[in-house]
Amino acid sequence: MTEINRRTFVSGAAAVAGAAALSPLLTACGGSDTGGNKGGISSKKGLKAALPTYVAGRAAKPDIPSVNGVVGTVTAPGYLNYPANPVKTVSGVPGKGGSYTAIVPSLGAVPDPGNSFSQAMSKALGVNLKMKPVDGINYGSIVPTMTAAKKLPDWIQLPTWYRSINVGGLVGTQLADLTPYLSGDKIEKYPNLAAIPTEAWTNAAWADKIYGFPCFASGFALPGTTFFRRDILDAKGITADQVKSADDLYNLGKESTDAKGKVWAFDDIWTYASPFWGVPFKFTVTDGKLVHKYETDQLLEALDWHYKLAKSGFMHPARWPATTAAKPASTQATS
Protein backbone atom coordinates (compact mmCIF):
# COMPACT_ATOMS: atom_id res chain seq x y z
CA MET A 1 0.00 0.00 0.00
CA THR A 2 1.03 3.54 -0.61
CA GLU A 3 1.63 5.05 2.79
CA ILE A 4 2.07 8.81 3.09
CA ASN A 5 4.31 9.63 6.05
CA ARG A 6 6.30 12.70 7.03
CA ARG A 7 9.31 11.68 4.99
CA THR A 8 7.46 10.89 1.77
CA PHE A 9 5.22 13.93 2.11
CA VAL A 10 7.81 16.54 3.03
CA SER A 11 10.76 15.34 0.99
CA GLY A 12 9.18 12.77 -1.27
CA ALA A 13 11.96 10.37 -0.37
CA ALA A 14 12.17 7.23 1.67
CA ALA A 15 14.25 4.14 1.97
CA VAL A 16 13.71 1.50 -0.67
CA ALA A 17 10.72 0.19 1.24
CA GLY A 18 9.59 -3.25 0.19
CA ALA A 19 11.46 -2.72 -3.07
CA ALA A 20 13.61 -5.06 -5.11
CA ALA A 21 16.76 -3.09 -5.87
CA LEU A 22 18.54 -4.17 -9.05
CA SER A 23 22.33 -3.96 -9.13
CA PRO A 24 24.33 -5.03 -12.23
CA LEU A 25 21.37 -6.02 -14.40
CA LEU A 26 20.74 -2.52 -15.74
CA THR A 27 23.81 -0.54 -14.75
CA ALA A 28 27.11 -1.15 -13.04
CA CYS A 29 27.70 -0.66 -9.33
CA GLY A 30 29.83 2.13 -7.97
CA GLY A 31 28.39 5.42 -9.22
CA SER A 32 29.19 8.83 -7.84
CA ASP A 33 25.75 9.47 -6.35
CA THR A 34 26.79 9.51 -2.72
CA GLY A 35 28.69 12.76 -3.14
CA GLY A 36 25.42 14.72 -3.32
CA ASN A 37 23.37 12.37 -1.18
CA LYS A 38 21.96 15.12 1.09
CA GLY A 39 20.95 12.43 3.57
CA GLY A 40 18.45 10.91 1.15
CA ILE A 41 16.24 14.01 0.92
CA SER A 42 14.73 14.64 -2.49
CA SER A 43 13.86 18.05 -3.84
CA LYS A 44 10.34 18.65 -5.11
CA LYS A 45 11.56 19.41 -8.62
CA GLY A 46 14.12 16.60 -8.72
CA LEU A 47 11.73 13.97 -7.43
CA LYS A 48 9.05 14.97 -9.92
CA ALA A 49 11.54 14.50 -12.75
CA ALA A 50 12.68 11.11 -11.44
CA LEU A 51 9.33 9.47 -10.70
CA PRO A 52 7.85 7.21 -13.39
CA THR A 53 4.65 8.23 -15.15
CA TYR A 54 1.57 6.25 -14.15
CA VAL A 55 -0.15 4.42 -17.00
CA ALA A 56 -3.09 2.25 -15.95
CA GLY A 57 -2.83 -1.35 -17.13
CA ARG A 58 -4.86 -2.17 -20.21
CA ALA A 59 -4.29 -5.91 -20.47
CA ALA A 60 -7.55 -6.78 -18.73
CA LYS A 61 -10.58 -4.54 -18.32
CA PRO A 62 -11.37 -4.14 -14.61
CA ASP A 63 -14.88 -4.66 -13.25
CA ILE A 64 -14.19 -1.79 -10.84
CA PRO A 65 -12.06 0.92 -12.51
CA SER A 66 -9.41 2.91 -10.66
CA VAL A 67 -10.48 6.18 -9.04
CA ASN A 68 -8.14 9.12 -8.49
CA GLY A 69 -7.85 10.38 -4.91
CA VAL A 70 -6.03 13.17 -3.09
CA VAL A 71 -2.27 13.74 -2.89
CA GLY A 72 -1.65 11.59 -5.95
CA THR A 73 -3.38 8.48 -4.61
CA VAL A 74 -5.37 6.14 -6.81
CA THR A 75 -7.37 3.03 -6.01
CA ALA A 76 -6.27 -0.27 -7.49
CA PRO A 77 -8.53 -1.70 -10.22
CA GLY A 78 -10.91 -4.44 -9.02
CA TYR A 79 -11.69 -7.76 -10.69
CA LEU A 80 -14.67 -9.89 -9.64
CA ASN A 81 -13.66 -13.05 -11.50
CA TYR A 82 -10.43 -14.75 -12.46
CA PRO A 83 -10.17 -14.63 -16.28
CA ALA A 84 -11.04 -17.86 -18.06
CA ASN A 85 -8.20 -17.11 -20.47
CA PRO A 86 -5.36 -15.38 -18.60
CA VAL A 87 -3.89 -12.42 -20.47
CA LYS A 88 -0.24 -12.32 -21.49
CA THR A 89 1.21 -8.88 -20.75
CA VAL A 90 4.66 -9.65 -22.17
CA SER A 91 5.17 -11.12 -25.62
CA GLY A 92 8.04 -13.44 -26.36
CA VAL A 93 10.91 -14.22 -23.99
CA PRO A 94 12.20 -11.05 -22.28
CA GLY A 95 15.60 -12.38 -21.20
CA LYS A 96 18.69 -12.86 -23.36
CA GLY A 97 20.45 -15.54 -21.37
CA GLY A 98 22.78 -15.20 -18.42
CA SER A 99 22.57 -16.28 -14.81
CA TYR A 100 21.32 -14.03 -11.98
CA THR A 101 20.65 -14.41 -8.27
CA ALA A 102 17.88 -12.91 -6.17
CA ILE A 103 17.62 -12.83 -2.37
CA VAL A 104 14.31 -12.26 -0.58
CA PRO A 105 13.18 -12.78 3.04
CA SER A 106 11.11 -15.91 3.67
CA LEU A 107 8.94 -16.59 6.72
CA GLY A 108 7.97 -20.04 5.49
CA ALA A 109 9.68 -23.24 4.44
CA VAL A 110 12.53 -22.66 2.00
CA PRO A 111 11.86 -24.57 -1.26
CA ASP A 112 14.43 -26.92 -2.70
CA PRO A 113 16.82 -25.25 -5.18
CA GLY A 114 16.03 -26.07 -8.78
CA ASN A 115 12.41 -27.02 -8.09
CA SER A 116 10.05 -27.37 -11.03
CA PHE A 117 8.49 -23.94 -10.52
CA SER A 118 11.89 -22.20 -10.55
CA GLN A 119 12.87 -24.08 -13.68
CA ALA A 120 9.65 -23.10 -15.45
CA MET A 121 10.09 -19.46 -14.39
CA SER A 122 13.68 -19.32 -15.66
CA LYS A 123 12.57 -20.81 -18.97
CA ALA A 124 9.79 -18.25 -19.36
CA LEU A 125 12.17 -15.39 -18.50
CA GLY A 126 14.93 -16.59 -20.78
CA VAL A 127 17.53 -16.42 -18.01
CA ASN A 128 18.79 -18.66 -15.24
CA LEU A 129 17.26 -16.90 -12.23
CA LYS A 130 18.44 -18.38 -8.95
CA MET A 131 15.98 -17.46 -6.21
CA LYS A 132 17.56 -17.70 -2.76
CA PRO A 133 15.00 -17.20 0.02
CA VAL A 134 16.69 -16.27 3.30
CA ASP A 135 15.45 -16.66 6.87
CA GLY A 136 13.07 -13.72 7.25
CA ILE A 137 13.32 -13.67 11.06
CA ASN A 138 17.04 -12.86 10.92
CA TYR A 139 17.00 -10.98 7.61
CA GLY A 140 17.78 -7.71 9.35
CA SER A 141 21.16 -9.06 10.46
CA ILE A 142 21.91 -11.17 7.38
CA VAL A 143 21.69 -8.31 4.86
CA PRO A 144 24.09 -5.96 6.74
CA THR A 145 26.64 -8.78 6.71
CA MET A 146 26.33 -9.07 2.93
CA THR A 147 26.55 -5.31 2.40
CA ALA A 148 29.61 -5.03 4.65
CA ALA A 149 31.32 -7.68 2.51
CA LYS A 150 30.02 -5.96 -0.65
CA LYS A 151 28.52 -9.23 -1.83
CA LEU A 152 24.95 -8.31 -2.71
CA PRO A 153 23.13 -10.44 -5.29
CA ASP A 154 21.84 -9.09 -8.60
CA TRP A 155 18.42 -8.53 -7.02
CA ILE A 156 17.59 -7.99 -3.35
CA GLN A 157 14.39 -7.17 -1.49
CA LEU A 158 14.68 -4.55 1.27
CA PRO A 159 11.48 -4.41 3.34
CA THR A 160 10.93 -1.22 5.32
CA TRP A 161 10.53 -2.95 8.70
CA TYR A 162 14.19 -4.07 8.83
CA ARG A 163 15.59 -0.89 10.39
CA SER A 164 19.14 -2.28 10.56
CA ILE A 165 19.57 -2.11 6.76
CA ASN A 166 21.37 1.13 5.88
CA VAL A 167 19.85 1.88 2.48
CA GLY A 168 21.41 5.35 2.42
CA GLY A 169 24.87 3.84 2.56
CA LEU A 170 24.12 1.56 -0.38
CA VAL A 171 22.63 3.92 -2.96
CA GLY A 172 25.04 4.73 -5.76
CA THR A 173 27.57 2.20 -4.53
CA GLN A 174 25.91 -1.20 -4.13
CA LEU A 175 22.43 -0.29 -5.41
CA ALA A 176 22.09 0.76 -9.03
CA ASP A 177 20.58 4.02 -10.25
CA LEU A 178 17.51 3.06 -12.29
CA THR A 179 16.42 6.63 -13.01
CA PRO A 180 17.77 6.70 -16.61
CA TYR A 181 15.62 3.66 -17.42
CA LEU A 182 12.40 4.27 -15.49
CA SER A 183 11.86 8.01 -14.97
CA GLY A 184 8.98 9.84 -16.60
CA ASP A 185 7.67 8.37 -19.84
CA LYS A 186 10.61 5.96 -20.10
CA ILE A 187 8.62 3.60 -17.88
CA GLU A 188 6.16 3.08 -20.73
CA LYS A 189 8.60 0.59 -22.23
CA TYR A 190 7.61 -1.63 -19.29
CA PRO A 191 3.78 -1.45 -19.10
CA ASN A 192 3.52 -3.71 -16.05
CA LEU A 193 5.79 -1.38 -14.06
CA ALA A 194 4.05 1.69 -15.49
CA ALA A 195 0.80 0.41 -13.94
CA ILE A 196 2.25 1.01 -10.44
CA PRO A 197 0.90 4.34 -9.06
CA THR A 198 3.46 7.13 -9.18
CA GLU A 199 3.16 7.86 -5.44
CA ALA A 200 4.31 4.31 -4.65
CA TRP A 201 7.65 4.99 -6.37
CA THR A 202 8.57 7.54 -3.69
CA ASN A 203 9.38 4.52 -1.54
CA ALA A 204 12.15 3.65 -4.02
CA ALA A 205 13.54 7.20 -4.25
CA TRP A 206 16.67 8.55 -2.62
CA ALA A 207 18.12 12.01 -3.31
CA ASP A 208 16.18 12.61 -6.55
CA LYS A 209 16.91 9.16 -8.01
CA ILE A 210 15.17 5.80 -8.25
CA TYR A 211 17.03 2.79 -6.86
CA GLY A 212 14.37 0.10 -6.87
CA PHE A 213 10.70 -0.54 -7.44
CA PRO A 214 7.79 -1.49 -5.20
CA CYS A 215 7.13 -5.22 -5.24
CA PHE A 216 3.48 -4.44 -4.47
CA ALA A 217 1.68 -1.15 -4.46
CA SER A 218 -1.77 0.28 -4.34
CA GLY A 219 -2.62 3.94 -4.19
CA PHE A 220 -5.49 3.16 -1.81
CA ALA A 221 -4.50 2.95 1.85
CA LEU A 222 -6.88 0.81 3.89
CA PRO A 223 -5.79 -0.84 7.16
CA GLY A 224 -7.72 -4.06 6.71
CA THR A 225 -11.06 -5.62 6.01
CA THR A 226 -14.02 -7.01 7.93
CA PHE A 227 -15.35 -10.52 7.45
CA PHE A 228 -18.80 -11.72 8.43
CA ARG A 229 -20.66 -14.99 8.95
CA ARG A 230 -22.90 -15.04 5.91
CA ASP A 231 -24.87 -18.06 7.13
CA ILE A 232 -25.95 -16.17 10.28
CA LEU A 233 -26.85 -12.95 8.47
CA ASP A 234 -28.69 -14.84 5.70
CA ALA A 235 -30.83 -16.54 8.33
CA LYS A 236 -31.88 -13.10 9.58
CA GLY A 237 -32.47 -11.75 6.08
CA ILE A 238 -29.56 -9.31 6.40
CA THR A 239 -27.15 -8.57 3.57
CA ALA A 240 -23.71 -6.99 3.90
CA ASP A 241 -24.63 -3.98 1.77
CA GLN A 242 -27.26 -2.97 4.33
CA VAL A 243 -24.49 -2.04 6.77
CA LYS A 244 -23.55 1.43 5.53
CA SER A 245 -22.64 3.30 8.71
CA ALA A 246 -21.34 2.87 12.24
CA ASP A 247 -24.91 3.06 13.55
CA ASP A 248 -25.94 0.24 11.20
CA LEU A 249 -23.07 -1.84 12.48
CA TYR A 250 -24.00 -1.16 16.11
CA ASN A 251 -27.63 -2.13 15.49
CA LEU A 252 -26.45 -5.29 13.75
CA GLY A 253 -24.48 -6.16 16.86
CA LYS A 254 -27.53 -5.66 19.06
CA GLU A 255 -29.68 -7.85 16.84
CA SER A 256 -27.06 -10.60 16.49
CA THR A 257 -25.91 -10.94 20.09
CA ASP A 258 -27.40 -13.57 22.40
CA ALA A 259 -25.16 -13.74 25.46
CA LYS A 260 -27.29 -16.44 27.12
CA GLY A 261 -26.91 -18.54 24.01
CA LYS A 262 -23.18 -17.78 24.02
CA VAL A 263 -23.37 -15.86 20.75
CA TRP A 264 -21.63 -12.50 20.40
CA ALA A 265 -21.64 -10.33 17.31
CA PHE A 266 -18.10 -9.01 17.23
CA ASP A 267 -14.46 -9.78 17.63
CA ASP A 268 -12.04 -6.82 17.77
CA ILE A 269 -13.07 -4.54 14.88
CA TRP A 270 -11.25 -1.33 15.84
CA THR A 271 -8.63 -1.35 13.08
CA TYR A 272 -11.05 -2.23 10.32
CA ALA A 273 -14.00 -0.03 11.30
CA SER A 274 -12.04 3.19 11.79
CA PRO A 275 -12.60 4.31 8.14
CA PHE A 276 -16.27 4.88 9.08
CA TRP A 277 -15.13 8.14 10.69
CA GLY A 278 -12.58 9.06 8.04
CA VAL A 279 -9.62 8.28 10.29
CA PRO A 280 -6.53 8.57 8.02
CA PHE A 281 -4.09 5.70 7.71
CA LYS A 282 -1.36 7.80 9.33
CA PHE A 283 -1.32 11.39 8.11
CA THR A 284 -3.72 13.77 6.41
CA VAL A 285 -3.54 17.40 5.25
CA THR A 286 -5.80 19.92 7.01
CA ASP A 287 -5.68 23.61 6.03
CA GLY A 288 -2.32 23.05 4.42
CA LYS A 289 -0.83 21.41 7.51
CA LEU A 290 0.32 17.81 7.95
CA VAL A 291 -1.76 16.21 10.73
CA HIS A 292 -1.21 12.78 12.28
CA LYS A 293 -4.26 10.60 12.82
CA TYR A 294 -3.77 10.79 16.60
CA GLU A 295 -4.34 14.55 16.39
CA THR A 296 -7.69 14.35 14.57
CA ASP A 297 -11.22 14.75 15.92
CA GLN A 298 -12.22 11.75 13.81
CA LEU A 299 -10.04 9.49 15.95
CA LEU A 300 -11.70 10.71 19.15
CA GLU A 301 -15.15 10.06 17.66
CA ALA A 302 -14.09 6.57 16.61
CA LEU A 303 -12.68 5.84 20.09
CA ASP A 304 -15.91 7.00 21.77
CA TRP A 305 -18.00 4.71 19.55
CA HIS A 306 -15.74 1.70 20.09
CA TYR A 307 -15.77 2.23 23.85
CA LYS A 308 -19.56 2.24 23.70
CA LEU A 309 -19.43 -0.94 21.63
CA ALA A 310 -17.04 -2.65 24.05
CA LYS A 311 -19.32 -1.83 27.02
CA SER A 312 -22.46 -2.92 25.14
CA GLY A 313 -21.84 -6.64 25.56
CA PHE A 314 -21.88 -7.24 21.80
CA MET A 315 -18.19 -8.17 21.71
CA HIS A 316 -16.83 -11.58 22.60
CA PRO A 317 -15.84 -11.46 26.30
CA ALA A 318 -12.35 -12.73 25.49
CA ARG A 319 -11.82 -9.50 23.58
CA TRP A 320 -13.33 -7.30 26.28
CA PRO A 321 -13.02 -9.14 29.62
CA ALA A 322 -14.76 -6.34 31.53
CA THR A 323 -18.12 -7.32 30.01
CA THR A 324 -18.23 -10.61 31.89
CA ALA A 325 -15.97 -12.91 33.81
CA ALA A 326 -16.91 -15.92 31.71
CA LYS A 327 -15.07 -16.68 28.47
CA PRO A 328 -17.05 -19.46 26.78
CA ALA A 329 -16.73 -20.41 23.13
CA SER A 330 -18.91 -18.38 20.81
CA THR A 331 -20.36 -18.15 17.37
CA GLN A 332 -19.38 -14.86 15.80
CA ALA A 333 -21.58 -13.08 13.32
CA THR A 334 -18.90 -10.49 12.53
CA SER A 335 -15.17 -10.57 13.12
Side-chain angles (χ1 to χ4, degrees):
M1 293 189 177
T2 304
E3 175 187 334
I4 299 177
N5 52 43
R6 290 192 188 273
R7 190 175 189 83
T8 56
F9 184 86
V10 176
S11 67
V16 186
L22 179 59
S23 210
L25 284 181
L26 292 182
T27 185
C29 293
S32 59
D33 300 327
T34 52
N37 194 306
K38 300 178 295 182
I41 297 176
S42 293
S43 66
K44 184 177 181 180
K45 181 178 179 180
L47 184 64
K48 183 178 180 180
L51 292 177
T53 301
Y54 172 67
V55 181
R58 302 185 183 93
K61 185 178 179 180
D63 298 298
I64 305 172
S66 298
V67 177
N68 294 328
V70 298
V71 200
T73 59
V74 58
T75 63
Y79 301 88
L80 302 180
N81 296 288
Y82 191 83
N85 300 302
V87 178
K88 288 186 177 181
T89 59
V90 178
S91 60
V93 178
K96 298 181 180 180
S99 182
Y100 305 94
T101 57
I103 289 180
V104 297
S106 174
L107 299 177
V110 176
D112 295 329
N115 60 75
S116 58
F117 177 83
S118 295
Q119 292 178 24
M121 182 172 62
S122 290
K123 182 178 180 180
L125 291 173
V127 299
N128 179 22
L129 181 60
K130 300 177 181 178
M131 294 291 296
K132 296 183 177 181
V134 175
D135 174 19
I137 300 297
N138 297 304
Y139 199 70
S141 58
I142 293 173
V143 172
T145 302
M146 290 190 293
T147 59
K150 296 185 177 180
K151 291 186 177 181
L152 285 182
D154 300 304
W155 295 73
I156 186 167
Q157 187 177 8
L158 303 178
T160 183
W161 55 86
Y162 294 108
R163 301 297 185 186
S164 58
I165 301 175
N166 180 15
V167 177
L170 303 177
V171 296
T173 55
Q174 297 190 54
L175 300 182
D177 178 11
L178 305 183
T179 317
Y181 308 94
L182 303 179
S183 63
D185 294 340
K186 295 175 184 177
I187 193 73
E188 294 181 9
K189 184 179 179 180
Y190 312 99
N192 289 332
L193 293 181
I196 298 175
T198 297
E199 178 66 25
W201 288 92
T202 61
N203 288 320
W206 195 274
D208 294 337
K209 294 184 179 180
I210 301 294
Y211 289 95
F213 55 86
C215 52
F216 171 77
S218 169
F220 184 44
L222 186 68
T225 189
T226 302
F227 296 91
F228 66 96
R229 284 281 302 274
R230 184 171 182 174
D231 57 333
I232 295 178
L233 297 193
D234 281 352
K236 295 178 177 293
I238 301 172
T239 59
D241 59 4
Q242 290 176 295
V243 183
K244 299 179 180 180
S245 67
D247 287 341
D248 290 343
L249 190 62
Y250 189 89
N251 292 331
L252 174 64
K254 184 176 182 179
E255 183 175 351
S256 303
T257 298
D258 178 9
K260 291 183 178 179
K262 299 181 181 180
V263 175
W264 289 269
F266 303 113
D267 198 329
D268 176 13
I269 61 171
W270 160 251
T271 302
Y272 313 122
S274 57
F276 270 133
W277 292 268
V279 177
F281 185 50
K282 276 199 174 180
F283 289 93
T284 187
V285 179
T286 303
D287 297 329
K289 296 181 180 180
L290 194 61
V291 180
H292 194 276
K293 68 177 182 180
Y294 292 149
E295 303 169 313
T296 63
D297 292 337
Q298 295 96 313
L299 183 76
L300 295 177
E301 293 171 2
L303 286 171
D304 285 342
W305 186 89
H306 279 82
Y307 180 76
K308 175 185 174 182
L309 177 68
K311 298 292 289 184
S312 68
F314 305 156
M315 290 180 64
H316 189 287
R319 286 296 184 182
W320 188 258
T323 57
T324 176
K327 296 184 180 180
S330 70
T331 302
Q332 295 176 3
T334 307
S335 64

